[in-house]
Every structure is written in structure tokens, then in C-alpha cells.
Amino acid sequence: MENLLLWGFYVMTFYAFLPGVISRTFGFRVFKKGRVLKEIALTFDDGPDPVYTPQLLDLLARHGAKATFFVVGSHAEGQEELLRRMKREGHTIGIHNYVHKSNWLMRPRTVRRQIERTNAIIEQATGEKAVYYRPPWGIINLFDYSNLGYLHIILWSAMFGDWREKVGVERLTRRMLKKMRPGEVVLLHDCGNTLGADRDAPRNMLIALETYMAQAASKGFRFVGIDEMMKLTDAYKATHRSLFKRGMISLWLMWEAAFHVLFRLKKVGDDDVPAFHYRVTTYTGENVQLSTGGSVEKGDKIAELHFDNRMLSGIAAESKSPIATGIRMLREVERALPHLADQLVSDPEAQHIKAVYGVTMVHRGADRLGFEIFHMREGIFAKTTRVYLKLLLKVLTNTKQYSKGRSNKDRSDAISPRMLLMPVQKLLTYATVQTRMVKDEVERVAENVDRVLGGAADETTMGSKTTAF
């Protein structure tokens, strides 16, 4: 009997207690508070209620506020018009299980069925499936992390006990006003028909909420759905790096500066932060056939390109998506190519190079600039390069950009390095040096012609013999 109790303790600890503590304390795999400037997320559990939810929707409409409703499936049945109204008025609908029962007391398969059944009701009423989930009482079991990977688990940062009628309007209002801060995910209840709640407690909540919203509006706060709160938080994090992140970037860039000195890399152009650097070296990879008909073979002389990671870090910090980062990097490369061509034309070490070469993850669209893109042959170099560039991506950029909303295949492709090659003949079409040389030669010839014409005119004035052209 003692062993049975001990095993029961172990199972409950790892199945329920520890996952709940980790999620609530550290926010692991859940969203519980935003990082924003003037936004608050109002969230309502346990509804919809045929009496109080319509009153709540009226209140939100008067204040132009958006909210998130985590509905109980059994309460939503027969209240489809309320669900449609929520969607029509711009609110977000999430799942709160089919019955208000703790995930600790259900098997993983049962939890999944509760969610799927509730989602079917939401989809039938609104035409869309919910993607946000809040487990009753915020309790998560070990398997929720993997089984519910397609849902965003939402907890909260502010809770006031509004499900108890005896709290009263005044005390509830005071509690709420103390939590009027940007990024708060406020937990309230628009239904009292659950275990431990009072049937008419939402009446007090509505009175307190009106005071709270009026004072918040006077201070410039805005009420948004959880979807917008998460987007704004991602954007904030992308532009406001932590002290640890800034320290990591500084150390990485110091190492990169030492690398440039050690391998004698040359800066392209005169900018303080150039698009890339280069060095003239010998190609050591596999032989590559170019679409132009030529090839690059082992032992050929090449110009090896290196992106400047200070520029990559700055662009990634300001960009809202990996696509935006790639587009801006592509523009910087396009702007720098004429400078690179000019330098290689005048660099004695580069007189006999066959191509310019680089390995990068930012490769989409490079073919439009004249680069040819090749998969790297699997081997030690490819593996170490992949590890290095993934580490670089993690240190210098917002890696959530590269995983959010993507399948495993898309994520793998987005961070898979490619080899870029551009034949030197193509690169020279970017050169401005040769154009200037031709222009200077034309101007020199024109000056000589003008001089000859001027001399002929002088001879005519002096009565000399004229010269025909």
C-alpha cells in the first residue's frame, strides 16, 4: 500500500504538479503577460452566459474595447448567436474545455476530446477554429505541451477573485485599479455557473469593469485581444533586447573583428558598417558547373565574401519578420556590389579570380542579383557550417521570426545554408571603374577635338589657309 501511494505521488508530481509550477512561474510554453507600451488584454472565462455575456458585450462596445473569451463548450451549446456576435464585434474566442474540469483529473486523450468538441462548436457557429486555449484554473498536465502544440496556451498576469459575490464591487474595483499596467492579461469571469463560483458574481464584475475601463481610457490605455497583445509583444522584443542578449552580441562582434584581422579581410566600400568583407583565397570545395557554361574547380582563385554581422544584427532587430530581414539584406548587397566590383578591379591580388563565393542563410532572391545558388554537399564542412550559422542566427536575430507560423520543413529551409557563386564576368558588369575610364577617355578626346577646332578658327581669323573636316 505504501509503494502504491508513493508511485501515485510520483505520477501526480510529474504529470500535474511540476508542469503547472513551471508554466506559472517561468511562463514555459505559455503566454501570460505582454511587453507593450499602452495595451491591456481583457480575458473572460466560463461563458457564454445568456444573461451577463450580452451585457458585457454592450459594455465593451461602448468603450471600443476588444477582449478574449475562453468559452466552456457545454455553455456555448445553444448560445451560438453569442459566439457569432463576439466574432462580428472583433473579439477573440478561445477554448476552456467542454466542461469546467481540471486537466489533472483527466487523461491526455480526454483533454484532447474536450478541446476538439468545444472547437467544433466554435467552428460551426463562427466558421473558424479557435487557436487559443486556457485550461480551467490554469492547470496543465505533462502531455499538454506536446498534445496541444497546435494551440497557444494562455494564462494570466492579474486575477481578482471576481467569481465570488462576497468580494463586493468596491473591493473588486480597488483590486483591479492596482493592476492597471501595460501588458497585463486580466482574468475575469462572465459566467457563474461553474464549481466554486457564485451565480450572480458577474453582476459585480460588470460594475467594477466599467469604472476600470473608464479610468484606463483617461490614462491612454487601449484594450486589445490576446492575438494583438502577442503580436505587439513579439515586435517589442525584437526591438528591445535584454542586457544578456546585448552582451552576447557584443562578444560575438568582438570575436568577428578579431577574425577579420586574423584572416586579413578587406572592407567593401567606405561605410562604417559595410554589407560585407572579402578576401582573395583558393577554392577548396567540390567542382561546380555554372549555368553560364564555365565552372569553378578546386584550386581556382576566388574572392570569398563575408556578411558584416553588425549590419545583419541591426537589420534583424528592426525587422518584423524574416522576409523583411532578407529583403533589406538583399538591398544592401545590391547597393554594395558596384563597390565590390570596383575594388576587385583595382586589387592586384584579385586580378585572376574566377568567381566570388560565399555561404549564407540569407540566400532567397540572390539569384536576381546574378548569384547562382547551390546546395552544400553533406560532409563535415556542411555540418559545422550549419551549426555555426544557426548559432549566429540565434545570437544576432530574433529566432522566433524564423519559426512562428512555419512547418518543420519551412523552418529547416529557412535556416539551411546555401553556397553562392557569381562568375567574375557577371560581377564586372556592376563595376563603375570601367565606365568612368571610358567616360574620361571620351572627355579627353573631346578636349583634343575642341583644341584642334579652336586652333583652326584662330588660323582663319589670321587669314591662314582653312582646314576641312
Side-chain angles (χ1 to χ4, degrees):
M1 184 65 180
E2 183 179 344
N3 288 337
L4 184 62
L5 290 174
L6 188 60
W7 273 106
F9 173 78
Y10 287 152
V11 169
M12 288 305 298
T13 297
F14 289 100
Y15 177 73
F17 180 72
L18 284 181
V21 169
I22 291 171
S23 293
R24 295 291 297 276
T25 305
F26 302 104
F28 177 70
R29 295 288 299 276
V30 302
F31 184 84
K32 55 185 291 188
K33 187 173 184 179
R35 294 185 63 184
V36 293
L37 298 178
K38 277 293 184 178
E39 287 77 22
I40 295 172
L42 296 175
T43 67
F44 299 93
D45 287 7
D46 300 354
D49 183 277
V51 176
Y52 294 112
T53 302
Q55 295 179 42
L56 173 58
L57 289 170
D58 292 340
L59 174 60
L60 295 172
R62 288 198 299 273
H63 287 270
K66 305 303 177 188
T68 304
F69 291 85
F70 291 98
V71 302
V72 174
S74 59
H75 294 169
E77 284 181 324
Q79 302 293 333
E80 287 80 4
E81 181 53 38
L82 278 178
L83 297 182
R84 284 190 283 271
R85 182 182 173 187
M86 290 174 188
K87 180 189 175 184
R88 189 168 59 247
E89 296 182 3
H91 303 296
T92 303
I93 303 175
I95 301 166
H96 200 46
N97 282 356
Y98 180 77
V99 295
H100 199 276
K101 187 176 181 180
S102 170
N103 288 13
W104 284 5
L105 305 177
M106 295 186 289
R107 294 178 299 170
R109 182 184 300 177
T110 305
V111 173
R112 192 184 309 114
R113 287 175 179 171
Q114 290 258 332
I115 291 170
E116 290 172 351
R117 188 173 179 182
T118 305
N119 217 350
I121 296 169
I122 295 170
E123 184 180 19
Q124 186 175 9
T126 67
E128 294 181 0
K129 286 187 174 182
V131 296
Y132 301 101
Y133 173 63
R134 174 175 286 165
W137 296 292
I139 294 173
I140 297 169
N141 68 51
L142 180 63
F143 295 96
D144 288 344
Y145 293 131
S146 58
N147 289 344
L148 309 180
Y150 61 97
L151 294 172
H152 296 283
I153 300 176
I154 309 297
L155 297 184
W156 58 85
S157 60
M159 179 172 62
F160 313 107
D162 66 303
W163 60 88
R164 292 178 298 175
E165 197 170 8
K166 67 178 183 181
V167 171
V169 172
E170 291 185 6
R171 188 161 33 153
L172 180 58
T173 303
R174 287 198 301 271
R175 289 178 180 179
M176 292 175 66
L177 292 176
K178 288 180 181 179
K179 290 286 188 177
M180 189 182 292
R181 295 186 293 238
E184 294 287 355
V185 178
V186 175
L187 169 61
L188 296 167
H189 300 78
D190 60 326
C191 179
N193 290 331
T194 55
L195 181 65
D198 296 325
R199 174 69 187 86
D200 292 318
R203 182 190 297 121
N204 294 339
M205 181 275 293
L206 289 169
I207 298 171
L209 180 61
E210 182 147 27
T211 302
Y212 176 79
M213 293 178 71
Q215 292 201 25
S218 69
K219 296 180 180 181
F221 285 100
R222 190 166 66 96
F223 295 100
V224 299
I226 202 66
D227 51 346
E228 185 173 353
M229 177 65 80
M230 293 175 72
K231 289 178 183 177
L232 291 172
T233 298
D234 286 344
Y236 183 95
K237 288 180 178 179
T239 55
H240 295 74
R241 290 169 169 159
S242 65
L243 181 63
F244 174 76
K245 183 83 169 181
R246 292 198 299 269
M248 288 290 293
I249 292 172
S250 296
L251 289 173
W252 190 281
L253 295 180
M254 287 172 60
W255 177 86
E256 184 184 60
F259 177 87
H260 289 178
V261 173
L262 182 63
F263 289 94
R264 297 166 49 193
L265 268 61
K266 301 176 183 180
K267 183 175 75 169
V268 174
D270 299 322
D271 293 343
D272 292 335
V273 183
F276 41 69
H277 306 254
Y278 78 92
R279 65 169 179 160
V280 176
T281 186
T282 300
Y283 180 69
T284 58
E286 297 293 325
N287 295 350
V288 176
Q289 293 294 323
L290 302 174
S291 62
T292 55
S295 64
V296 177
E297 301 177 357
K298 187 178 294 186
D300 286 340
K301 204 173 182 182
I302 58 168
E304 184 180 85
L305 302 181
H306 294 262
F307 273 130
D308 189 285
N309 288 324
R310 289 173 298 171
M311 174 170 286
L312 174 59
S313 176
I315 289 175
E318 297 172 1
S319 301
K320 295 183 178 180
S321 71
I323 294 176
T325 300
I327 289 173
R328 287 194 57 188
M329 285 299 296
L330 200 63
R331 287 175 180 167
E332 292 297 333
V333 170
E334 185 176 21
R335 191 173 68 86
L337 281 175
H339 297 291
L340 174 64
D342 286 352
Q343 283 183 231
L344 292 177
V345 166
S346 57
D347 187 346
E349 294 182 23
Q351 293 307 303
H352 301 290
I353 64 171
K354 204 166 184 179
V356 292
Y357 159 88
V359 176
T360 179
M361 290 185 186
V362 187
H363 51 76
R364 291 186 177 177
D367 53 335
R368 285 177 286 175
L369 300 181
F371 287 98
E372 297 190 32
I373 305 173
F374 300 91
H375 285 270
M376 298 179 66
R377 185 172 180 177
E378 283 302 323
I380 294 177
F381 176 74
K383 290 178 180 178
T384 55
T385 299
R386 192 173 291 114
V387 170
Y388 168 80
L389 290 179
K390 284 184 180 180
L391 181 60
L392 174 69
L393 195 71
K394 187 174 182 63
V395 171
L396 298 182
T397 70
N398 176 18
T399 51
K400 287 185 178 180
Q401 295 177 348
Y402 292 82
S403 59
K404 187 169 54 179
R406 292 170 174 260
S407 65
N408 290 334
K409 182 180 182 300
D410 289 338
R411 283 196 294 269
S412 177
D413 186 63
I415 59 174
S416 178
R418 297 286 191 273
M419 183 171 66
L420 304 183
L421 280 167
M422 181 188 290
V424 70
Q425 294 84 357
K426 174 63 180 176
L427 178 66
L428 290 179
T429 63
Y430 285 97
T432 59
V433 171
Q434 292 178 340
T435 303
R436 285 200 300 270
M437 290 172 61
V438 171
K439 183 180 178 182
D440 291 344
E441 183 65 19
V442 169
E443 290 177 353
R444 185 182 64 78
V445 172
E447 288 176 1
N448 289 338
V449 171
D450 288 341
R451 192 179 301 112
V452 172
L453 288 174
D458 290 342
E459 289 180 1
T460 302
T461 304
M462 295 170 60
S464 306
K465 182 173 57 177
T466 59
T467 305
F469 293 90

